[in-house]
Amino acid sequence: MPVQLNLFDSHAHLDAQAFDADRNEVLAAARKAGVCEMLVPAIAVSDWKAVHDLCAAEADLHPAYGLHPLYLPQHSDRDLVRLREWLRAHGSVALGECGLDFHDSSLDRERQLHFLREQLRLAREFDLPLVLHARAAFEQVILELRKFDGLRGVVHSFSGSAEQARRLWEMGFMIGIGGPVTYDRARRLRRIVAEMPIEFLLLETDSPDQPDAAHRGRRNEPARLPEVLRCVAELRDCAPAEIARATTANARSLFTGRT
């Protein structure tokens, strides 16, 4: 009889429009695949209520609220005030998704930094872990994190260098790994995953984006998390159940305070 997995998808945008037609079926498939808990990060003010309502209705879903850098044109300084008010009034296991995206040259870097710094302050004020986006901006994200004491969290969909990963986990930040690790060409990422300390590893899908290699070009969903698990287990020469236990304990500890 196969071992029943208990996986925690540490990053799944289940509120996305891509799931509107079959969200209940997606959740059922995830649970059947052994995904027992999921973090649902909101990315803009317009998403906060949908994420709240979805997570309030499903005990295995955990909400996070933030202002994502890719949606910078939608954000206003008033949204930072709204975020503080929202966090005071609604339970949240994390702050985010927030961060920096220097890959998109159309986005004002100084304004991105302003929103990130204010959200780092809020994370410290509310004692919440961060869910961080970093694309072509790992050095700047690390620099900003060093300016604030006592922060913790995860850099999701990690794509930086081994040295950058080391500096993040030395600050207590976890590394989120998803579908990209299943691609043969991801040699640097695979080496990092094979060698990094297990206590800083989280698994994710980033649904509906970033599918694993076997589902290239298709909508991603939490039920695909076991494919990420299998790849990580092979890279680390460990049993999948061992990786599942460790990464689920890591996610629970970070987001819910339990193991």
Side-chain angles (χ1 to χ4, degrees):
M1 180 179 294
V3 175
Q4 177 62 42
L5 300 173
N6 287 300
L7 292 167
F8 196 127
D9 187 342
S10 64
H11 203 101
H13 294 283
L14 288 165
D15 62 308
Q17 187 176 3
F19 296 120
D20 283 353
D22 63 346
R23 188 170 287 107
N24 288 337
E25 291 82 359
V26 167
L27 286 168
R31 291 158 183 156
K32 185 177 180 180
V35 182
C36 59
E37 294 180 75
M38 293 160 258
L39 180 86
V40 186
I43 56 178
V45 173
S46 57
D47 301 310
W48 295 349
K49 186 178 186 302
V51 167
H52 172 269
D53 292 349
L54 176 61
C55 294
E58 305 287 344
D60 53 358
L61 304 184
H62 305 290
Y65 306 105
L67 299 167
H68 193 295
L70 283 179
Y71 296 85
L72 190 67
Q74 297 180 25
H75 305 331
S76 69
D77 282 347
R78 171 62 183 159
D79 291 344
L80 292 165
V81 177
R82 292 188 181 102
L83 181 55
R84 175 180 278 108
E85 293 169 347
W86 185 269
L87 293 172
R88 283 177 178 159
H90 301 83
S92 180
V93 302
L95 192 152
E97 183 176 355
C98 60
L100 298 174
D101 195 307
F102 290 172
H103 177 77
D104 187 339
S105 60
S106 71
L107 298 172
D108 184 277
R109 292 190 176 189
E110 286 305 314
R111 188 156 175 77
Q112 285 191 61
L113 284 164
H114 167 65
F115 277 89
L116 174 60
R117 288 164 182 161
E118 291 305 312
Q119 289 179 91
L120 297 184
R121 291 187 178 95
L122 286 174
R124 188 169 63 180
E125 177 183 338
F126 287 91
D127 192 25
L128 288 171
L130 288 150
V131 178
L132 289 165
H133 171 101
R135 189 164 65 150
F138 281 95
E139 288 299 317
Q140 190 67 52
V141 165
I142 292 169
L143 178 63
E144 297 303 321
L145 293 176
R146 290 194 186 282
K147 296 176 182 178
F148 294 83
D149 294 329
L151 295 178
R152 66 194 189 283
V154 56
V155 177
H156 103 94
S157 188
F158 184 81
S159 60
S161 69
E163 173 61 21
Q164 289 164 339
R166 182 189 63 78
R167 280 186 275 160
L168 284 166
W169 72 61
E170 285 181 350
M171 289 191 290
F173 277 79
M174 296 192 181
I175 305 297
I177 299 297
V181 78
T182 66
Y183 289 78
D184 290 339
R185 67 175 182 269
R187 294 185 181 89
R188 182 175 70 180
L189 180 60
R190 286 173 162 237
R191 284 195 298 271
I192 293 169
V193 170
E195 298 171 3
M196 68 176 287
I198 190 69
E199 60 265 31
F200 296 106
L201 177 63
L202 297 184
L203 303 184
E204 64 171 67
T205 59
D206 196 21
S207 303
D209 300 320
Q210 299 200 77
D212 56 273
H215 282 67
R216 185 195 313 252
R218 295 163 62 182
R219 183 188 73 173
N220 197 11
E221 58 183 79
R224 300 301 304 165
L225 194 61
E227 292 304 311
V228 178
L229 170 69
R230 280 189 274 274
C231 179
V232 170
E234 289 177 4
L235 291 170
R236 296 182 67 88
D237 193 24
C238 291
E242 179 182 341
I243 302 297
R245 281 192 298 272
T247 56
T248 295
N250 292 345
R252 285 175 172 166
S253 176
L254 180 64
F255 296 126
T256 72
R258 59 190 175 88
T259 57

